Amino acid sequence: MPVINRFAEMLPEITAWRRDIHAHPELRFEEHRTAALVAQKLREFGCDEVVTGFGGTGVVGVITGRSVASGRTIGFRADMDALPIQEATGLPHASTIPGRMHACGHDGHTSMLLGAAKYLAETRNFDGRIVLAFQPAEEGGGGARAMIDAGLMTRWSIEEVYGMHNMPGLPLGEFSVRSGPQMAAPDKFEIIVRGHGGHGAMPHKGVDSTLVAAHIVVALQSIASRNVDPLKNVVVSVCGFRTETDTYNVIPDSVLLRGTVRTFEPEVQQLVRARIDLLATMTAEAYGAVAEVTHVSGPPPLVNHDREAGLAAEAALAVSGVAHRDLDPIMGGEDFSEMLVERPGAYLFIGNGDSADLHNPSYEFNDEAIPLGCSWYVTMAERRMPLA
C-alpha cells in the first residue's frame, strides 16, 4: 500500500488545520484552543468516543472497526504543545502570539493524526479499536505521564502504542526507526552560585559570583571528556546564565545557571549528577563562594521494542519505499518513552526535508509530508488488525 490517494485529495484540508494550529500556538497544559479544535474534528468525523480534559488538556478519540472479533486495541499518539520561541519565518500563517511558536512540528503531528482519524472513521477497514491520544505538554511538561496516570492504557486496554515525529534533514518521503534505544533521557539541572556583590571597580572587596559561575561552566565540560567512558553517549550543556544585574559596574550577589544532561544508561546518568554536584560545589568553595545544585529528572530514554519497530518499518516501507533501520540514536528527548515503558510499541521519524532544525525560530513543518504520515497510520491500523 503506497501513499493513499485519499490523502492527496485531503491535503489542502489537512494543511488548513495545520496552519490554523500553527498560527495559534499554546504552551504545555494550556492547549485549550487546540484541544477544542481536535475534539470538534473527531466528533465531526464520527468517532465512537471523544474524551476531553484527559491528563490535563489531552484529548482521546476512539474508532471501532467494522469488526471487533479480534478484541485488539492499538494506540496512536500525537503531541499538541508549542514552544516559548519568537517565530522568525515571516509566513502568512506564522504565530499570532508573541513569544510562542510551533517550532517542533507538533502542529503537523496533530494534523496528520487527525487526517488519519477522518479516513479511519470513514472506512473502518480493520478488526478492533484504534485509540487516538492527542497529548499535551510534551515539551518538558510530563504530558505523557499525565495521560498514563489518567488511565490511557488501562481504560481502553491498549496493547501496542505508536508515535511519529518529523525530522529535518531526513529527505521528504523517507522514514527512520531503530530497534532499541533511539532517544536519550533529558534531565535538567540548576546551579545557584552565591558570592558577595559589590562595585565592579573594587572586586577585591567581594566574591565575584560571575567569575565563579564562569569557572563552573568550564569545569562541567570536563565531565563528558574526562569522566565518562568515551564509548558512552552523554551531553552536558549549560544553556542559561543569568545574573542579578545587567549593568556595567555591579558585581552581582548571585548567578543562576541552567542546563541539560542527556544520557542513555542509568549508571552514566548517576555519574554525571555526582560530578556536577562535586565540580559546582568545590569550584565555588575554592573561590570563596557557595553553589547549590538541583537536579530535575526527565522521562527515561526512548527505547523501541524490537518486534514493533520492525512492524513500523514494514508499514513505512510499504508507504514510501524507504525505511532506514540503522540511523544513529539522537540525544534529543521525548516523553513518548513513558508510553513505551507501559506498552510495546515504536516511535519513528518522518522526513521533513531540507528545513531549519527543530526548536529553531525559522523552522517550518513540511506540509508535503502529511499524506505520507497519514498513510503510515492507516497502514499500521489495517495491517495490525486486518479484517478476516
Side-chain angles (χ1 to χ4, degrees):
M1 178 187 291
V3 172
I4 297 169
N5 290 336
R6 179 83 171 94
F7 290 122
E9 299 169 6
M10 290 170 60
L11 180 56
E13 179 183 18
I14 302 173
T15 297
W17 303 340
R18 202 280 296 179
R19 295 183 178 183
D20 178 68
I21 294 171
H22 186 92
H24 303 90
E26 296 171 300
L27 302 182
R28 59 192 187 194
F29 290 123
E30 297 176 2
E31 308 93 333
H32 301 290
R33 184 186 186 277
T34 307
L37 184 151
V38 167
Q40 175 190 345
K41 294 299 180 187
L42 294 177
R43 293 187 182 105
E44 289 175 1
F45 302 159
C47 288
D48 299 284
E49 186 178 1
V50 178
V51 181
T52 59
F54 197 86
T57 45
V59 181
V60 178
V62 180
I63 303 173
T64 303
R66 293 185 194 176
S67 169
V68 292
S70 71
R72 303 206 58 213
T73 301
I74 301 296
F76 294 137
R77 172 271 208 176
D79 37 19
M80 300 189 295
D81 57 324
L83 284 156
I85 294 175
Q86 180 64 41
E87 182 162 356
T89 64
L91 293 167
H93 57 273
S95 172
T96 59
I97 304 175
R100 298 182 184 180
M101 177 192 176
H102 271 292
C104 204
H106 296 187
D107 50 342
H109 305 162
T110 293
S111 300
M112 287 191 293
L113 190 54
L114 278 176
K118 181 173 183 178
Y119 182 94
L120 290 166
E122 288 175 355
T123 60
R124 300 181 185 263
N125 190 33
F126 59 93
D127 179 3
R129 288 189 305 178
I130 298 295
V131 176
L132 312 161
F134 293 87
Q135 181 200 308
E138 188 279 325
E139 296 290 355
R145 175 47 54 188
M147 294 194 85
I148 293 166
D149 290 346
L152 177 65
M153 301 300 172
T154 55
R155 177 168 171 175
W156 290 282
S157 301
I158 293 175
E159 300 170 24
E160 299 172 14
V161 64
Y162 298 91
M164 182 191 304
H165 202 292
N166 78 96
M167 181 56 66
L170 185 65
L172 179 69
E174 298 185 7
F175 291 86
S176 172
V177 57
R178 288 179 57 88
S179 295
Q182 179 162 287
M183 301 181 75
D187 294 333
K188 305 172 188 175
F189 65 87
E190 184 174 282
I191 303 171
I192 300 176
V193 181
R194 303 189 189 279
H196 182 71
H199 200 295
M202 293 172 275
H204 60 290
K205 291 186 176 182
V207 176
D208 189 346
S209 58
T210 303
L211 175 67
V212 177
H215 277 278
I216 290 174
V217 172
V218 173
L220 295 183
Q221 305 314 304
S222 69
I223 296 174
S225 65
R226 290 298 178 267
N227 299 135
V228 177
D229 184 336
L231 298 179
K232 305 290 186 182
N233 298 80
V234 63
V235 169
V236 180
S237 292
V238 177
C239 301
F241 192 118
R242 180 177 299 172
T243 74
E244 293 179 325
T245 179
D246 60 0
T247 191
Y248 58 88
N249 62 350
V250 177
I251 294 173
D253 271 331
S254 65
V255 173
L256 173 64
L257 302 176
R258 284 182 172 147
T260 186
V261 173
R262 305 300 172 102
T263 58
F264 283 100
E265 301 176 26
E267 319 83 77
V268 177
Q269 181 186 54
Q270 293 307 313
L271 171 62
V272 171
R273 286 189 177 187
R275 294 300 298 167
I276 290 175
D277 291 344
L278 189 63
L279 287 168
T281 56
M282 292 296 99
T283 300
E285 183 177 333
Y287 286 92
V290 174
E292 303 167 5
V293 184
T294 302
H295 297 279
V296 180
S297 296
L302 188 147
V303 181
N304 284 327
H305 296 251
D306 290 347
R307 174 175 173 271
E308 285 70 25
L311 296 169
E314 289 173 8
L317 192 63
V319 168
S320 75
V322 182
H324 302 281
R325 297 300 311 278
D326 56 354
L327 294 188
D328 292 335
I330 65 173
M331 302 308 287
E334 166 58 67
D335 75 351
F336 185 74
S337 61
E338 300 271 19
M339 297 191 180
L340 293 178
V341 171
E342 301 292 326
R343 295 292 188 273
Y347 193 68
L348 79 165
F349 296 120
I350 182 171
N352 202 56
D354 185 20
S355 71
D357 287 335
L358 302 173
H359 293 214
N360 184 290
S362 297
Y363 167 84
E364 168 71 345
F365 180 83
N366 191 336
D367 291 321
E368 295 303 314
I370 288 173
L372 292 143
C374 293
S375 296
W376 180 83
Y377 282 120
V378 171
T379 301
M380 283 297 296
E382 294 181 354
R383 286 188 169 209
R384 295 303 299 130
M385 298 185 294
L387 287 167

